[in-house]
């Protein structure tokens, strides 16, 4: 089940932090590390700080964008040390652990996303997440070292996972639920939808590309909060397709009315 939970590090500058994150993950039983444009990887320093978690580093996937890192993910939890201008559904590390394990147990794919040492995650990156996770640190000194932040979340994931193990009669290891088709759509399907939605809103004149304001981020927050499933997505895409036909003056479902 824990293999469904990936740790994504965005644009990390210090390779030592990548090693520290790998060590923290392995200590807590997490195995999947995805690196978005790391500034220095692979590196000797990363291996040194991994202290035996080299297998995690060797298997780490290096990708060019956050979008690539989130392919196939159903639930994305993005971490932030500070509040953002457009507030997002916010949870603490404990809720993050519980949510991650609950979804992983349903066979879903989860990403825990961490930002740059100096600048964290951009607003655009955070708006790709369903929830924001804040470690309730000292408000006067709120930013943890990247490896330490990974450690806190990985620990909470492990505690939630062990709690499920305790509930399962006779078993010493939590088992994933019977593999089935995941209900929640994946992030790549959501991105295609947002592209379709944005284009449609421009076509009907609701969204002015010159003055987009915060419309798309607000809609991302709305749909992200809803947890859209497969059948709901096909309704949403169907509505957009029919709307575009009306805009183009093409035959559509209710053309005779
Ligand atoms: N200066 C940056 C902080 C970067 S710390 C900023 O102002 O955003 C590097 C990363 O560690 C963050 O992007 C986040 O992923 C994680 N992190 C550090 N402190 C955190 C906290 N209190 N809560 C959640 N994540 C935190």
């Amino acid at each position: 089940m824990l293999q469904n939970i990936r740790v994504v590090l965005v644009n990390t500058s210090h390779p030592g932090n990548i090693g520290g994150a790998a060590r923290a993950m392995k200590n807590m039983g997490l195995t999947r590390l995805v690196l978005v444009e790391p500034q220095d990887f692979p590196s000797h320093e990363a291996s040194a700080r991994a202290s035996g978690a080299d297998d995690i580093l060797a298997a780490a996937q290096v990708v060019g964008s956050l979008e690539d890192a989130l392919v196939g993910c159903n639930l994305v939890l993005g971490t932030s040390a500070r509040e953002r201008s457009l507030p997002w559904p916010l949870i603490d590390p404990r809720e993050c652990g519980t949510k991650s394990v609950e979804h992983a147990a349903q066979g879903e794919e989860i990403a825990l996303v961490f930002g740059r040492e100096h600048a964290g995650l951009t607003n655009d990156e955070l708006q790709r997440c369903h929830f924001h996770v804040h470690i309730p640190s000292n408000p006067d000194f709120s930013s943890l070292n990247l490896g330490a932040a990974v450690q806190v979340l990985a620990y909470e994931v492990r505690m939630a996972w062990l709690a499920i193990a305790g509930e399962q009669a006779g078993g010493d290891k939590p088992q994933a639920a019977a593999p089935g088709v995941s209900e929640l759509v994946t992030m790549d399907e959501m991105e295609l939808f947002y592209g379709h939605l944005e284009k449609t809103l421009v076509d009907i004149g609701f969204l002015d590309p010159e003055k987009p304001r915060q419309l798309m981020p607000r809609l991302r927050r709305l749909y992200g909060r809803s947890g859209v499933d497969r059948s709901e997505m096909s309704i949403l895409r169907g509505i957009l397709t029919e709307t575009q036909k009306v805009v183009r003056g093409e035959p559509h479902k209710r053309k005779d009315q």
Side-chain angles (χ1 to χ4, degrees):
M1 183 205 297
L2 293 180
Q3 72 277 7
N4 289 11
I5 303 175
R6 66 186 85 168
V7 168
V8 178
L9 304 185
V10 178
N11 211 202
T12 311
S13 35
H14 299 296
N17 283 334
I18 299 179
R23 179 180 185 175
M25 287 170 62
K26 189 166 178 176
N27 284 146
M28 299 298 134
L30 295 175
T31 50
R32 286 180 61 198
L33 178 60
V34 184
L35 305 172
V36 180
E37 291 194 311
Q39 289 185 20
D40 182 8
F41 185 82
S43 91
H44 177 71
E45 204 184 332
S47 305
R49 280 279 304 279
S51 309
D54 305 81
D55 51 337
I56 307 272
L57 294 180
Q61 197 189 343
V62 179
V63 297
S65 68
L66 179 59
E67 202 171 333
D68 290 341
L70 300 182
V71 167
C73 273
N74 306 96
L75 178 68
V76 182
L77 304 157
T79 52
S80 181
R82 59 199 157 89
E83 275 189 27
R84 303 299 171 126
S85 55
L86 184 59
W88 222 252
L90 188 67
I91 58 175
D92 65 24
R94 196 138 301 167
E95 292 170 281
C96 168
T98 313
K99 241 180 224 312
S100 303
V101 167
E102 278 172 5
H103 282 262
Q106 301 303 317
E108 293 186 349
E109 291 281 330
I110 294 91
L112 308 179
V113 185
F114 297 84
R116 299 155 188 84
E117 288 92 335
H118 297 299
L121 293 168
T122 63
N123 287 337
D124 183 63
E125 287 161 347
L126 279 164
Q127 285 161 8
R128 287 170 185 263
C129 303
H130 292 96
F131 292 91
H132 290 174
V133 187
H134 177 67
I135 300 166
S137 45
N138 175 359
D140 298 329
F141 193 63
S142 65
S143 173
L144 279 77
N145 163 266
L146 175 59
V150 172
Q151 183 73 79
V152 171
L153 262 60
Y155 169 74
E156 291 295 347
V157 165
R158 185 159 191 87
M159 289 302 281
W161 181 73
L162 290 171
I164 292 187
E167 284 166 14
Q168 285 186 353
D172 58 351
K173 262 190 164 185
Q175 303 293 321
V181 180
S182 169
E183 273 292 292
L184 285 185
V185 294
T186 59
M187 293 314 282
D188 21 319
E189 290 166 314
M190 282 309 287
E191 285 308 316
L192 290 173
F193 164 68
Y194 290 131
H196 195 176
L197 178 63
E198 186 168 7
K199 180 168 188 323
T200 308
L201 294 177
V202 171
D203 289 351
I204 64 173
F206 192 78
L207 172 61
D208 178 357
E210 302 298 318
K211 277 194 223 136
R213 300 183 193 279
Q214 292 272 57
L215 181 61
M216 289 313 296
R218 283 178 190 281
L219 289 171
R220 278 177 179 269
R221 183 173 61 175
L222 168 66
Y223 287 108
R225 207 165 57 216
S226 314
V228 180
D229 71 21
R230 289 248 141 70
S231 62
E232 291 163 343
M233 179 52 81
S234 68
I235 295 170
L236 290 171
R237 294 295 289 262
I239 293 171
L240 296 179
T241 302
E242 292 306 314
T243 307
Q244 288 199 317
K245 283 186 197 164
V246 175
V247 172
R248 289 195 296 256
E250 291 172 9
H252 53 90
K253 284 200 166 148
R254 296 190 62 192
K255 60 185 181 298
D256 48 338
Q257 292 188 15

